[in-house]
Amino acid sequence: MPIMSYIAQPLEGKRELLLSELAHLENTEVYPAENDNTLIILTDTKTDQEDEVLQEKLKNIPSLGILNLVYALSDETIIEVENESC
Amino acid sequence: MNLVDQLPLNRRAFLKQMAIGSAIIAAKAMIPGIIFAREDEFKHLGPLDWKKTPCRFCGVGCGLLVAVKDGKAVAVKGDPESPVNKGLCCVKGYHSIQTMYGTDRIKTAKVKRDGKFVDVPISEALDLVASKMSETIKKHGKDSVAMYGSGQ
């Protein structure tokens, strides 16, 4: 159950386009900065395979200039813990 | 029900908040002054009407955005479009609306009558000050009065 967060920046002048392209991606939340082109992308997928597919989709967004991975959690034991406790 | 009870808190939500928080901290380290004012921080307040206003606490002139609900100011954030504070506030700015609703807020002025201070409406006291200043200016010229004020 991978959870990832990224810092991203659009190509020059492509902020709105990037936001609209990200809005079409499933399992993705976007938090744009109010005073800068930078935005934070959070992904929450069910399997590593799903995450890999989503990462490829992110990398192939034409308006995306920079994508830096900040936080990555992909521990299968979380599934067991969550299933037991929740 | 308090705010914590209203939050959808579980293990996964907590880990997601960690992921978002880590990215925000990293972004702030790289780009000083960057602001992520997430709308969901105010979701529990319902629909809000954000009004632009200058901060009145001191003479710097920071731009604020004040959220109004049912005619009452309920939240504050810095105006990212303000060239003065670029979306940030000091602690006084962030808490400025609390002074509007304090139970010990001064709501009247005191004017001395017959040797004793009595409570009068602030508008009445301001009119009195204006009339006294006009009277002094008429008698002694415009350089005879001065004014000092501070938000500090």
Side-chain angles (χ1 to χ4, degrees), chain A residues 31-63:
Chain A
Y31 301 96
E34 287 204 344
N35 58 349
D36 192 271
N37 269 340
T38 303
L39 46 101
I40 286 167
I41 300 170
L42 176 81
T43 63
D44 178 9
T45 47
K46 287 181 181 160
T47 64
D48 288 342
Q49 290 72 28
E50 260 187 45
D51 182 65
E52 283 169 21
V53 171
L54 184 52
Q55 279 193 32
E56 279 308 306
K57 285 181 183 173
L58 280 173
K59 288 176 193 170
N60 288 319
I61 293 175
S63 56

PDB file of all heavy atoms in Angstrom, chain A residues 31-63:
ATOM      1  N   TYR A  31      -1.510  19.591  -3.874  1.00  0.00           N
ATOM      2  CA  TYR A  31      -1.548  20.752  -2.983  1.00  0.00           C
ATOM      3  C   TYR A  31      -0.636  21.837  -3.552  1.00  0.00           C
ATOM      4  O   TYR A  31       0.569  21.841  -3.305  1.00  0.00           O
ATOM      5  CB  TYR A  31      -1.091  20.355  -1.568  1.00  0.00           C
ATOM      6  CG  TYR A  31      -1.953  19.266  -0.975  1.00  0.00           C
ATOM      7  CD1 TYR A  31      -1.569  17.930  -1.047  1.00  0.00           C
ATOM      8  CD2 TYR A  31      -3.170  19.571  -0.385  1.00  0.00           C
ATOM      9  CE1 TYR A  31      -2.368  16.929  -0.535  1.00  0.00           C
ATOM     10  CE2 TYR A  31      -3.979  18.575   0.134  1.00  0.00           C
ATOM     11  CZ  TYR A  31      -3.572  17.254   0.065  1.00  0.00           C
ATOM     12  OH  TYR A  31      -4.379  16.269   0.569  1.00  0.00           O
ATOM     13  N   PRO A  32      -1.204  22.755  -4.345  1.00  0.00           N
ATOM     14  CA  PRO A  32      -0.355  23.800  -4.934  1.00  0.00           C
ATOM     15  C   PRO A  32       0.005  24.884  -3.922  1.00  0.00           C
ATOM     16  O   PRO A  32      -0.803  25.216  -3.049  1.00  0.00           O
ATOM     17  CB  PRO A  32      -1.226  24.381  -6.055  1.00  0.00           C
ATOM     18  CG  PRO A  32      -2.620  23.984  -5.733  1.00  0.00           C
ATOM     19  CD  PRO A  32      -2.594  22.831  -4.783  1.00  0.00           C
ATOM     20  N   ALA A  33       1.214  25.414  -4.036  1.00  0.00           N
ATOM     21  CA  ALA A  33       1.598  26.546  -3.188  1.00  0.00           C
ATOM     22  C   ALA A  33       0.796  27.769  -3.624  1.00  0.00           C
ATOM     23  O   ALA A  33       0.428  27.892  -4.795  1.00  0.00           O
ATOM     24  CB  ALA A  33       3.086  26.821  -3.328  1.00  0.00           C
ATOM     25  N   GLU A  34       0.518  28.641  -2.665  1.00  0.00           N
ATOM     26  CA  GLU A  34      -0.269  29.831  -2.981  1.00  0.00           C
ATOM     27  C   GLU A  34       0.572  30.916  -3.634  1.00  0.00           C
ATOM     28  O   GLU A  34       0.040  31.789  -4.310  1.00  0.00           O
ATOM     29  CB  GLU A  34      -0.903  30.388  -1.704  1.00  0.00           C
ATOM     30  CG  GLU A  34      -2.053  29.545  -1.199  1.00  0.00           C
ATOM     31  CD  GLU A  34      -3.006  30.349  -0.333  1.00  0.00           C
ATOM     32  OE1 GLU A  34      -2.620  31.434   0.113  1.00  0.00           O
ATOM     33  OE2 GLU A  34      -4.120  29.862  -0.113  1.00  0.00           O
ATOM     34  N   ASN A  35       1.871  30.913  -3.384  1.00  0.00           N
ATOM     35  CA  ASN A  35       2.702  32.027  -3.849  1.00  0.00           C
ATOM     36  C   ASN A  35       3.912  31.556  -4.648  1.00  0.00           C
ATOM     37  O   ASN A  35       4.917  32.244  -4.698  1.00  0.00           O
ATOM     38  CB  ASN A  35       3.164  32.866  -2.651  1.00  0.00           C
ATOM     39  CG  ASN A  35       3.931  32.034  -1.638  1.00  0.00           C
ATOM     40  OD1 ASN A  35       3.943  30.806  -1.721  1.00  0.00           O
ATOM     41  ND2 ASN A  35       4.574  32.703  -0.707  1.00  0.00           N
ATOM     42  N   ASP A  36       3.789  30.385  -5.233  1.00  0.00           N
ATOM     43  CA  ASP A  36       4.925  29.849  -5.976  1.00  0.00           C
ATOM     44  C   ASP A  36       4.385  28.800  -6.947  1.00  0.00           C
ATOM     45  O   ASP A  36       3.276  28.289  -6.786  1.00  0.00           O
ATOM     46  CB  ASP A  36       5.921  29.203  -4.984  1.00  0.00           C
ATOM     47  CG  ASP A  36       7.253  28.889  -5.626  1.00  0.00           C
ATOM     48  OD1 ASP A  36       7.403  27.777  -6.180  1.00  0.00           O
ATOM     49  OD2 ASP A  36       8.137  29.752  -5.596  1.00  0.00           O
ATOM     50  N   ASN A  37       5.188  28.486  -7.957  1.00  0.00           N
ATOM     51  CA  ASN A  37       4.785  27.473  -8.936  1.00  0.00           C
ATOM     52  C   ASN A  37       4.859  26.053  -8.391  1.00  0.00           C
ATOM     53  O   ASN A  37       4.361  25.123  -9.007  1.00  0.00           O
ATOM     54  CB  ASN A  37       5.702  27.559 -10.163  1.00  0.00           C
ATOM     55  CG  ASN A  37       5.113  28.496 -11.201  1.00  0.00           C
ATOM     56  OD1 ASN A  37       3.914  28.763 -11.183  1.00  0.00           O
ATOM     57  ND2 ASN A  37       5.948  29.000 -12.073  1.00  0.00           N
ATOM     58  N   THR A  38       5.510  25.909  -7.253  1.00  0.00           N
ATOM     59  CA  THR A  38       5.724  24.571  -6.689  1.00  0.00           C
ATOM     60  C   THR A  38       4.413  23.953  -6.208  1.00  0.00           C
ATOM     61  O   THR A  38       3.526  24.660  -5.744  1.00  0.00           O
ATOM     62  CB  THR A  38       6.711  24.682  -5.507  1.00  0.00           C
ATOM     63  OG1 THR A  38       7.902  25.290  -5.986  1.00  0.00           O
ATOM     64  CG2 THR A  38       7.030  23.326  -4.921  1.00  0.00           C
ATOM     65  N   LEU A  39       4.323  22.652  -6.340  1.00  0.00           N
ATOM     66  CA  LEU A  39       3.156  21.968  -5.782  1.00  0.00           C
ATOM     67  C   LEU A  39       3.573  20.633  -5.189  1.00  0.00           C
ATOM     68  O   LEU A  39       4.625  20.084  -5.530  1.00  0.00           O
ATOM     69  CB  LEU A  39       2.068  21.793  -6.840  1.00  0.00           C
ATOM     70  CG  LEU A  39       2.464  21.290  -8.220  1.00  0.00           C
ATOM     71  CD1 LEU A  39       2.147  19.830  -8.332  1.00  0.00           C
ATOM     72  CD2 LEU A  39       1.688  22.072  -9.263  1.00  0.00           C
ATOM     73  N   ILE A  40       2.742  20.157  -4.306  1.00  0.00           N
ATOM     74  CA  ILE A  40       2.999  18.863  -3.669  1.00  0.00           C
ATOM     75  C   ILE A  40       2.003  17.856  -4.216  1.00  0.00           C
ATOM     76  O   ILE A  40       0.801  18.150  -4.322  1.00  0.00           O
ATOM     77  CB  ILE A  40       2.893  18.990  -2.138  1.00  0.00           C
ATOM     78  CG1 ILE A  40       4.138  19.716  -1.630  1.00  0.00           C
ATOM     79  CG2 ILE A  40       2.765  17.627  -1.479  1.00  0.00           C
ATOM     80  CD1 ILE A  40       4.044  20.192  -0.227  1.00  0.00           C
ATOM     81  N   ILE A  41       2.533  16.709  -4.575  1.00  0.00           N
ATOM     82  CA  ILE A  41       1.679  15.641  -5.098  1.00  0.00           C
ATOM     83  C   ILE A  41       1.730  14.477  -4.107  1.00  0.00           C
ATOM     84  O   ILE A  41       2.811  14.042  -3.702  1.00  0.00           O
ATOM     85  CB  ILE A  41       2.167  15.164  -6.482  1.00  0.00           C
ATOM     86  CG1 ILE A  41       2.155  16.327  -7.480  1.00  0.00           C
ATOM     87  CG2 ILE A  41       1.306  14.020  -6.993  1.00  0.00           C
ATOM     88  CD1 ILE A  41       2.838  15.995  -8.803  1.00  0.00           C
ATOM     89  N   LEU A  42       0.565  13.993  -3.735  1.00  0.00           N
ATOM     90  CA  LEU A  42       0.471  12.833  -2.842  1.00  0.00           C
ATOM     91  C   LEU A  42      -0.180  11.701  -3.630  1.00  0.00           C
ATOM     92  O   LEU A  42      -1.228  11.906  -4.252  1.00  0.00           O
ATOM     93  CB  LEU A  42      -0.385  13.180  -1.620  1.00  0.00           C
ATOM     94  CG  LEU A  42      -0.629  12.015  -0.671  1.00  0.00           C
ATOM     95  CD1 LEU A  42       0.563  11.819   0.254  1.00  0.00           C
ATOM     96  CD2 LEU A  42      -1.884  12.230   0.150  1.00  0.00           C
ATOM     97  N   THR A  43       0.442  10.534  -3.598  1.00  0.00           N
ATOM     98  CA  THR A  43      -0.184   9.381  -4.256  1.00  0.00           C
ATOM     99  C   THR A  43      -0.444   8.295  -3.225  1.00  0.00           C
ATOM    100  O   THR A  43       0.337   8.109  -2.295  1.00  0.00           O
ATOM    101  CB  THR A  43       0.696   8.828  -5.398  1.00  0.00           C
ATOM    102  OG1 THR A  43       1.922   8.343  -4.853  1.00  0.00           O
ATOM    103  CG2 THR A  43       0.978   9.884  -6.440  1.00  0.00           C
ATOM    104  N   ASP A  44      -1.542   7.610  -3.411  1.00  0.00           N
ATOM    105  CA  ASP A  44      -1.968   6.583  -2.449  1.00  0.00           C
ATOM    106  C   ASP A  44      -2.536   5.414  -3.258  1.00  0.00           C
ATOM    107  O   ASP A  44      -3.681   5.473  -3.724  1.00  0.00           O
ATOM    108  CB  ASP A  44      -3.029   7.204  -1.529  1.00  0.00           C
ATOM    109  CG  ASP A  44      -3.566   6.201  -0.533  1.00  0.00           C
ATOM    110  OD1 ASP A  44      -3.013   5.088  -0.438  1.00  0.00           O
ATOM    111  OD2 ASP A  44      -4.546   6.529   0.152  1.00  0.00           O
ATOM    112  N   THR A  45      -1.732   4.403  -3.448  1.00  0.00           N
ATOM    113  CA  THR A  45      -2.163   3.272  -4.281  1.00  0.00           C
ATOM    114  C   THR A  45      -2.220   1.987  -3.456  1.00  0.00           C
ATOM    115  O   THR A  45      -1.658   1.915  -2.358  1.00  0.00           O
ATOM    116  CB  THR A  45      -1.174   3.076  -5.459  1.00  0.00           C
ATOM    117  OG1 THR A  45       0.164   3.125  -4.951  1.00  0.00           O
ATOM    118  CG2 THR A  45      -1.359   4.147  -6.509  1.00  0.00           C
ATOM    119  N   LYS A  46      -2.854   0.954  -4.031  1.00  0.00           N
ATOM    120  CA  LYS A  46      -3.063  -0.281  -3.260  1.00  0.00           C
ATOM    121  C   LYS A  46      -1.900  -1.257  -3.376  1.00  0.00           C
ATOM    122  O   LYS A  46      -1.664  -2.046  -2.463  1.00  0.00           O
ATOM    123  CB  LYS A  46      -4.358  -0.948  -3.726  1.00  0.00           C
ATOM    124  CG  LYS A  46      -5.590  -0.208  -3.254  1.00  0.00           C
ATOM    125  CD  LYS A  46      -6.860  -0.883  -3.687  1.00  0.00           C
ATOM    126  CE  LYS A  46      -8.057  -0.070  -3.212  1.00  0.00           C
ATOM    127  NZ  LYS A  46      -9.268  -0.350  -3.946  1.00  0.00           N
ATOM    128  N   THR A  47      -1.208  -1.231  -4.497  1.00  0.00           N
ATOM    129  CA  THR A  47      -0.097  -2.182  -4.677  1.00  0.00           C
ATOM    130  C   THR A  47       1.110  -1.470  -5.281  1.00  0.00           C
ATOM    131  O   THR A  47       0.980  -0.377  -5.854  1.00  0.00           O
ATOM    132  CB  THR A  47      -0.495  -3.313  -5.652  1.00  0.00           C
ATOM    133  OG1 THR A  47      -0.727  -2.719  -6.934  1.00  0.00           O
ATOM    134  CG2 THR A  47      -1.732  -4.046  -5.181  1.00  0.00           C
ATOM    135  N   ASP A  48       2.274  -2.142  -5.177  1.00  0.00           N
ATOM    136  CA  ASP A  48       3.486  -1.579  -5.784  1.00  0.00           C
ATOM    137  C   ASP A  48       3.326  -1.445  -7.301  1.00  0.00           C
ATOM    138  O   ASP A  48       3.827  -0.505  -7.911  1.00  0.00           O
ATOM    139  CB  ASP A  48       4.695  -2.465  -5.467  1.00  0.00           C
ATOM    140  CG  ASP A  48       5.117  -2.338  -4.003  1.00  0.00           C
ATOM    141  OD1 ASP A  48       4.720  -1.344  -3.355  1.00  0.00           O
ATOM    142  OD2 ASP A  48       5.831  -3.225  -3.519  1.00  0.00           O
ATOM    143  N   GLN A  49       2.631  -2.418  -7.891  1.00  0.00           N
ATOM    144  CA  GLN A  49       2.432  -2.373  -9.342  1.00  0.00           C
ATOM    145  C   GLN A  49       1.615  -1.143  -9.729  1.00  0.00           C
ATOM    146  O   GLN A  49       1.935  -0.436 -10.687  1.00  0.00           O
ATOM    147  CB  GLN A  49       1.708  -3.646  -9.831  1.00  0.00           C
ATOM    148  CG  GLN A  49       2.538  -4.924  -9.756  1.00  0.00           C
ATOM    149  CD  GLN A  49       2.749  -5.415  -8.325  1.00  0.00           C
ATOM    150  OE1 GLN A  49       1.932  -5.175  -7.437  1.00  0.00           O
ATOM    151  NE2 GLN A  49       3.879  -6.070  -8.090  1.00  0.00           N
ATOM    152  N   GLU A  50       0.544  -0.907  -8.962  1.00  0.00           N
ATOM    153  CA  GLU A  50      -0.273   0.287  -9.227  1.00  0.00           C
ATOM    154  C   GLU A  50       0.559   1.548  -9.098  1.00  0.00           C
ATOM    155  O   GLU A  50       0.426   2.486  -9.882  1.00  0.00           O
ATOM    156  CB  GLU A  50      -1.431   0.370  -8.217  1.00  0.00           C
ATOM    157  CG  GLU A  50      -2.756  -0.121  -8.757  1.00  0.00           C
ATOM    158  CD  GLU A  50      -3.880   0.141  -7.771  1.00  0.00           C
ATOM    159  OE1 GLU A  50      -3.951   1.262  -7.205  1.00  0.00           O
ATOM    160  OE2 GLU A  50      -4.674  -0.774  -7.542  1.00  0.00           O
ATOM    161  N   ASP A  51       1.426   1.547  -8.090  1.00  0.00           N
ATOM    162  CA  ASP A  51       2.262   2.736  -7.865  1.00  0.00           C
ATOM    163  C   ASP A  51       3.231   2.952  -9.023  1.00  0.00           C
ATOM    164  O   ASP A  51       3.447   4.088  -9.457  1.00  0.00           O
ATOM    165  CB  ASP A  51       3.038   2.591  -6.550  1.00  0.00           C
ATOM    166  CG  ASP A  51       3.874   3.821  -6.257  1.00  0.00           C
ATOM    167  OD1 ASP A  51       3.268   4.890  -6.033  1.00  0.00           O
ATOM    168  OD2 ASP A  51       5.107   3.726  -6.292  1.00  0.00           O
ATOM    169  N   GLU A  52       3.802   1.852  -9.520  1.00  0.00           N
ATOM    170  CA  GLU A  52       4.739   1.982 -10.650  1.00  0.00           C
ATOM    171  C   GLU A  52       4.037   2.557 -11.878  1.00  0.00           C
ATOM    172  O   GLU A  52       4.595   3.400 -12.584  1.00  0.00           O
ATOM    173  CB  GLU A  52       5.351   0.612 -10.975  1.00  0.00           C
ATOM    174  CG  GLU A  52       6.436   0.202  -9.990  1.00  0.00           C
ATOM    175  CD  GLU A  52       6.864  -1.248 -10.132  1.00  0.00           C
ATOM    176  OE1 GLU A  52       6.639  -1.827 -11.209  1.00  0.00           O
ATOM    177  OE2 GLU A  52       7.410  -1.782  -9.155  1.00  0.00           O
ATOM    178  N   VAL A  53       2.819   2.088 -12.115  1.00  0.00           N
ATOM    179  CA  VAL A  53       2.055   2.604 -13.263  1.00  0.00           C
ATOM    180  C   VAL A  53       1.782   4.097 -13.084  1.00  0.00           C
ATOM    181  O   VAL A  53       1.950   4.896 -14.014  1.00  0.00           O
ATOM    182  CB  VAL A  53       0.716   1.829 -13.408  1.00  0.00           C
ATOM    183  CG1 VAL A  53      -0.184   2.487 -14.452  1.00  0.00           C
ATOM    184  CG2 VAL A  53       0.988   0.377 -13.783  1.00  0.00           C
ATOM    185  N   LEU A  54       1.393   4.451 -11.862  1.00  0.00           N
ATOM    186  CA  LEU A  54       1.097   5.865 -11.592  1.00  0.00           C
ATOM    187  C   LEU A  54       2.357   6.730 -11.727  1.00  0.00           C
ATOM    188  O   LEU A  54       2.311   7.838 -12.275  1.00  0.00           O
ATOM    189  CB  LEU A  54       0.497   6.003 -10.182  1.00  0.00           C
ATOM    190  CG  LEU A  54       0.041   7.391  -9.744  1.00  0.00           C
ATOM    191  CD1 LEU A  54      -0.903   8.029 -10.757  1.00  0.00           C
ATOM    192  CD2 LEU A  54      -0.629   7.336  -8.382  1.00  0.00           C
ATOM    193  N   GLN A  55       3.485   6.211 -11.237  1.00  0.00           N
ATOM    194  CA  GLN A  55       4.741   6.967 -11.371  1.00  0.00           C
ATOM    195  C   GLN A  55       5.078   7.219 -12.840  1.00  0.00           C
ATOM    196  O   GLN A  55       5.506   8.320 -13.209  1.00  0.00           O
ATOM    197  CB  GLN A  55       5.897   6.190 -10.725  1.00  0.00           C
ATOM    198  CG  GLN A  55       5.956   6.356  -9.232  1.00  0.00           C
ATOM    199  CD  GLN A  55       7.287   5.838  -8.658  1.00  0.00           C
ATOM    200  OE1 GLN A  55       8.312   5.900  -9.299  1.00  0.00           O
ATOM    201  NE2 GLN A  55       7.216   5.328  -7.442  1.00  0.00           N
ATOM    202  N   GLU A  56       4.852   6.207 -13.679  1.00  0.00           N
ATOM    203  CA  GLU A  56       5.122   6.381 -15.112  1.00  0.00           C
ATOM    204  C   GLU A  56       4.216   7.454 -15.705  1.00  0.00           C
ATOM    205  O   GLU A  56       4.646   8.280 -16.515  1.00  0.00           O
ATOM    206  CB  GLU A  56       4.911   5.054 -15.861  1.00  0.00           C
ATOM    207  CG  GLU A  56       6.090   4.108 -15.772  1.00  0.00           C
ATOM    208  CD  GLU A  56       7.422   4.757 -16.165  1.00  0.00           C
ATOM    209  OE1 GLU A  56       7.505   5.328 -17.268  1.00  0.00           O
ATOM    210  OE2 GLU A  56       8.367   4.722 -15.341  1.00  0.00           O
ATOM    211  N   LYS A  57       2.941   7.428 -15.276  1.00  0.00           N
ATOM    212  CA  LYS A  57       2.000   8.438 -15.771  1.00  0.00           C
ATOM    213  C   LYS A  57       2.456   9.837 -15.359  1.00  0.00           C
ATOM    214  O   LYS A  57       2.386  10.786 -16.144  1.00  0.00           O
ATOM    215  CB  LYS A  57       0.590   8.179 -15.223  1.00  0.00           C
ATOM    216  CG  LYS A  57      -0.123   7.013 -15.889  1.00  0.00           C
ATOM    217  CD  LYS A  57      -1.515   6.857 -15.310  1.00  0.00           C
ATOM    218  CE  LYS A  57      -2.219   5.648 -15.913  1.00  0.00           C
ATOM    219  NZ  LYS A  57      -3.512   5.364 -15.256  1.00  0.00           N
ATOM    220  N   LEU A  58       2.907   9.949 -14.102  1.00  0.00           N
ATOM    221  CA  LEU A  58       3.377  11.253 -13.620  1.00  0.00           C
ATOM    222  C   LEU A  58       4.565  11.740 -14.447  1.00  0.00           C
ATOM    223  O   LEU A  58       4.606  12.885 -14.892  1.00  0.00           O
ATOM    224  CB  LEU A  58       3.805  11.150 -12.147  1.00  0.00           C
ATOM    225  CG  LEU A  58       2.728  11.182 -11.079  1.00  0.00           C
ATOM    226  CD1 LEU A  58       3.334  10.893  -9.712  1.00  0.00           C
ATOM    227  CD2 LEU A  58       2.040  12.540 -11.041  1.00  0.00           C
ATOM    228  N   LYS A  59       5.531  10.845 -14.654  1.00  0.00           N
ATOM    229  CA  LYS A  59       6.758  11.222 -15.372  1.00  0.00           C
ATOM    230  C   LYS A  59       6.458  11.635 -16.806  1.00  0.00           C
ATOM    231  O   LYS A  59       7.217  12.398 -17.405  1.00  0.00           O
ATOM    232  CB  LYS A  59       7.741  10.049 -15.368  1.00  0.00           C
ATOM    233  CG  LYS A  59       8.378   9.777 -14.017  1.00  0.00           C
ATOM    234  CD  LYS A  59       9.241   8.534 -14.107  1.00  0.00           C
ATOM    235  CE  LYS A  59       9.650   8.042 -12.732  1.00  0.00           C
ATOM    236  NZ  LYS A  59      10.275   6.714 -12.787  1.00  0.00           N
ATOM    237  N   ASN A  60       5.365  11.119 -17.354  1.00  0.00           N
ATOM    238  CA  ASN A  60       5.064  11.390 -18.767  1.00  0.00           C
ATOM    239  C   ASN A  60       4.120  12.573 -18.977  1.00  0.00           C
ATOM    240  O   ASN A  60       3.685  12.827 -20.095  1.00  0.00           O
ATOM    241  CB  ASN A  60       4.471  10.134 -19.415  1.00  0.00           C
ATOM    242  CG  ASN A  60       5.538   9.074 -19.601  1.00  0.00           C
ATOM    243  OD1 ASN A  60       6.665   9.368 -19.985  1.00  0.00           O
ATOM    244  ND2 ASN A  60       5.213   7.828 -19.274  1.00  0.00           N
ATOM    245  N   ILE A  61       3.801  13.277 -17.903  1.00  0.00           N
ATOM    246  CA  ILE A  61       2.953  14.469 -18.080  1.00  0.00           C
ATOM    247  C   ILE A  61       3.787  15.547 -18.785  1.00  0.00           C
ATOM    248  O   ILE A  61       4.833  15.961 -18.270  1.00  0.00           O
ATOM    249  CB  ILE A  61       2.429  14.985 -16.722  1.00  0.00           C
ATOM    250  CG1 ILE A  61       1.450  13.986 -16.111  1.00  0.00           C
ATOM    251  CG2 ILE A  61       1.749  16.343 -16.884  1.00  0.00           C
ATOM    252  CD1 ILE A  61       0.966  14.362 -14.718  1.00  0.00           C
ATOM    253  N   PRO A  62       3.343  16.021 -19.948  1.00  0.00           N
ATOM    254  CA  PRO A  62       4.170  16.943 -20.746  1.00  0.00           C
ATOM    255  C   PRO A  62       4.475  18.272 -20.049  1.00  0.00           C
ATOM    256  O   PRO A  62       5.547  18.842 -20.253  1.00  0.00           O
ATOM    257  CB  PRO A  62       3.325  17.187 -22.000  1.00  0.00           C
ATOM    258  CG  PRO A  62       2.310  16.102 -22.026  1.00  0.00           C
ATOM    259  CD  PRO A  62       2.096  15.659 -20.627  1.00  0.00           C
ATOM    260  N   SER A  63       3.535  18.773 -19.224  1.00  0.00           N
ATOM    261  CA  SER A  63       3.738  20.089 -18.609  1.00  0.00           C
ATOM    262  C   SER A  63       4.583  20.032 -17.332  1.00  0.00           C
ATOM    263  O   SER A  63       4.862  21.050 -16.724  1.00  0.00           O
ATOM    264  CB  SER A  63       2.373  20.714 -18.276  1.00  0.00           C
ATOM    265  OG  SER A  63       1.628  19.837 -17.458  1.00  0.00           O
TER     266      SER A  63
END
